[in-house]
Amino acid sequence: QVQLVESGGGLVQTGGSLRLSCAASGRIFSSSHMGWFRQAPGKEREFVGAINRSGGSTYYADSVKGRFTISRDNAKNTVYLEMSNLKPEETAVYCCASTEFPGRLAPRRSSEYDYWGQGNQVTVSA
């Protein structure tokens, strides 16, 4: 059984930074790839980035490359999303998700993920 809880969201000005945390419960965290997704009102959920189970590989959506960083601390059962130079159009509910996908790298399709956090609102003011 895995449960994920995001925290750290809130209001930030354009160009500001924010760090989201995703705390996981359950014994399989270190065996799971972790992904971050976001969904704006009226929009489809989109992939933000992911980190593989070993923490050795990350990849990101083109729109956030160079500004967002994903890391994990398996000792704390936590994955992080550090966001810099935020833009108003990135206002959304951000969710973390886990998967035991057998490949070495984390997938980008939301349908491949098994467990989801409840979501955390990030609002970027113009």
Side-chain angles (χ1 to χ4, degrees):
Q1 302 295 323
V2 176
Q3 293 187 347
L4 307 173
V5 179
E6 303 97 337
S7 62
L11 177 65
V12 64
Q13 292 181 319
T14 297
S17 300
L18 206 62
R19 186 179 78 164
L20 301 182
S21 299
C22 174
S25 62
R27 61 181 175 85
I28 64 171
F29 177 77
S30 62
S31 298
S32 300
H33 301 307
M34 300 295 296
W36 284 96
F37 297 81
R38 65 188 178 190
Q39 187 169 24
K43 304 294 184 180
E44 295 182 349
R45 176 179 290 167
E46 66 172 336
F47 173 79
V48 175
I51 186 167
N52 75 329
R53 55 175 54 92
S54 72
S57 297
T58 57
Y59 68 103
Y60 305 90
D62 289 342
S63 61
V64 307
K65 286 180 180 177
R67 298 187 298 114
F68 288 16
T69 301
I70 297 172
S71 60
R72 68 189 296 161
D73 187 339
N74 287 350
K76 298 179 179 178
N77 284 1
T78 302
V79 64
Y80 304 95
L81 176 64
E82 296 179 84
M83 303 179 288
S84 299
N85 195 21
L86 283 160
K87 307 171 182 179
E89 59 265 34
E90 293 176 311
T91 293
V93 174
Y94 285 70
C95 296
C96 64
S98 69
T99 178
E100 295 185 24
F101 183 80
R104 184 179 67 85
L105 300 179
R108 66 164 53 228
R109 290 178 57 87
S110 61
S111 61
E112 297 287 355
Y113 286 81
D114 304 306
Y115 301 98
W116 293 82
Q118 82 286 355
N120 211 233
Q121 178 71 41
V122 172
T123 301
V124 185
S125 62

